[in-house]
Amino acid sequence: MKPLLFRVPTVDDRSFRVQVDDGPHFYDRLHFHPELQLTLIKESVGTQVVGDRIDRFRPYDLLLLGANLPHVFRNDPAYFDPKTTQRSLSYSVYLRPEHLQESFFGLPELNHLNQLFQEARHGVRIRFNEPVSTTTYMEQLHTLRPFEQLMTLLTVLDRMAANPNRELLSVTAYEQPRRPDDHQRLDNVFTYILNQYASPITLEDVAAQAHLTPSAFCRFFRLHTRKTYSQLLNEVRIEHACRLLQESKLPISQIAFSCGYTNLSNFNRQFKLINNLTPGQYIKALF
């Protein structure tokens, strides 16, 4: 099986890589890499998976992902239309963990960054929702000289470490990649659920995507995600229901049906379990 170890191109005379991703959609496979990843989402929306956390990404999200933390930013279906005019734009820095152990990052003045790097094992996110000086720094990084890039990177990291609104994404902290074929299985499962969540999905269906028996799949999935398959499916369905509640004026019953629920009471129960609000309360909170 093809491993999902993502190879980040290296630059021989640099300790980090600056990258701009600009296209109709982002790379849409669950993957990991040994580098820490600092990313600003500038344009586009979709569903993100970071470790065991599933929710939405949107413009002006700033994320710091630890080494080998499985993740994917999967744009909404409209971005995959061959005729789309949608744009996905992000600015990233990839930093090798071994450079964090060197004398420079051992300086007392940078102790607070080491705490941030520990948090990055779970994935760290700050939602700015609009342009601010920190996001502007990220957008400008690729235009700067190497020394200026280093100073600007440190400034962004310093501001993240000092920001009280940063949140940890994944409950599980990842130390090292699991077997490559495990990542392939997880990618198959996530891709299948993200594509088919609106249709009836049985345990046998999803176990087949991982080439496992249902009982073996349940053990495998629990081990790697700290949740059951049904929990993941409900999280994906409710995440899409939240998007529809925000962006459309469809009746709640129609939204429930379009997200794969055939029973409205079950939809309401799962919605409140995940969001601590009923769909009606969620709509009121939006407006």
Side-chain angles (χ1 to χ4, degrees):
M1 293 184 179
K2 182 181 179 181
L4 291 174
L5 172 60
F6 190 86
R7 300 291 184 181
V8 177
T10 58
V11 182
D12 291 339
D13 60 346
R14 301 293 304 280
S15 61
F16 59 90
R17 173 183 173 82
V18 178
Q19 181 171 304
V20 179
D21 292 294
D22 188 356
H25 58 80
F26 295 136
Y27 181 67
D28 65 339
R29 303 292 299 277
L30 185 72
H31 64 283
F32 65 93
H33 42 72
E35 295 84 5
L36 280 83
Q37 177 179 338
L38 176 66
T39 292
L40 171 70
I41 305 292
K42 176 63 185 298
E43 296 185 31
S44 83
V45 296
T47 300
Q48 71 177 31
V49 178
V50 176
D52 56 21
R53 173 76 172 270
I54 299 174
D55 64 355
R56 299 288 288 172
F57 68 85
R58 62 194 189 204
Y60 296 105
D61 281 358
L62 181 64
L63 302 105
L64 180 64
L65 308 179
N68 300 315
L69 178 61
H71 61 279
V72 63
F73 299 100
R74 196 173 198 277
N75 291 103
D76 288 342
Y79 290 83
F80 293 88
D81 187 326
K83 298 180 181 179
T84 186
T85 58
Q86 304 273 22
R87 183 189 188 199
S88 297
L89 176 62
S90 67
Y91 300 89
S92 298
V93 178
Y94 295 90
L95 177 67
R96 293 298 294 248
E98 56 264 30
H99 294 302
L100 305 181
Q101 309 301 321
E102 296 177 358
S103 58
F104 180 74
F105 279 96
L107 293 173
E109 292 82 1
L110 300 181
N111 282 344
H112 64 305
L113 297 189
N114 291 320
Q115 173 60 36
L116 180 65
F117 296 145
Q118 287 298 311
E119 293 177 2
R121 295 161 56 211
H122 300 265
V124 178
R125 177 175 65 191
I126 300 175
R127 306 201 107 155
F128 289 105
N129 299 316
E130 60 184 3
V132 296
S133 57
T134 302
T135 62
T136 299
Y137 287 146
M138 284 295 295
E139 292 181 50
Q140 294 174 342
L141 262 177
H142 70 286
T143 68
L144 303 177
R145 296 184 298 111
F147 178 80
E148 294 172 328
Q149 287 183 338
L150 176 60
M151 294 299 100
T152 302
L153 172 60
L154 289 174
T155 298
V156 172
L157 292 172
D158 174 69
R159 292 189 174 195
M160 287 193 76
N163 193 312
N165 295 320
R166 71 182 187 276
E167 60 175 319
L168 301 187
L169 296 175
S170 174
V171 174
T172 304
Y174 287 77
E175 296 282 0
Q176 59 186 6
R178 302 185 188 276
R179 297 183 307 170
D181 57 336
D182 286 345
H183 282 276
Q184 181 68 67
R185 285 189 171 114
L186 283 172
D187 178 64
N188 291 345
V189 170
F190 278 115
T191 298
Y192 181 76
I193 291 176
L194 288 171
N195 288 335
Q196 304 294 329
Y197 69 90
S199 304
I201 301 177
T202 66
L203 176 60
E204 288 74 16
D205 291 334
V206 74
Q209 305 304 311
H211 303 288
L212 295 170
T213 65
S215 59
F217 171 76
C218 289
R219 292 192 298 271
F220 163 82
F221 198 76
R222 186 82 181 190
L223 173 66
H224 288 273
T225 67
R226 307 299 191 273
K227 61 183 68 177
T228 65
Y229 147 71
S230 61
Q231 285 176 309
L232 172 69
L233 179 58
N234 278 309
E235 287 176 4
V236 170
R237 285 175 168 171
I238 297 303
E239 184 271 321
H240 283 274
C242 289
R243 176 171 59 86
L244 291 175
L245 289 171
Q246 294 172 31
E247 300 175 359
S248 76
K249 295 183 179 180
L250 295 173
I252 291 175
S253 58
Q254 188 173 341
I255 288 175
F257 180 77
S258 67
C259 291
Y261 290 97
T262 57
N263 184 300
L264 184 58
S265 62
N266 183 37
F267 169 73
N268 290 333
R269 182 169 57 254
Q270 296 298 334
F271 194 99
K272 187 170 184 179
L273 181 65
I274 291 171
N275 291 312
N276 295 317
L277 295 170
T278 66
Q281 291 170 332
Y282 184 86
I283 292 173
K284 290 180 180 179
L286 290 175
F287 305 102

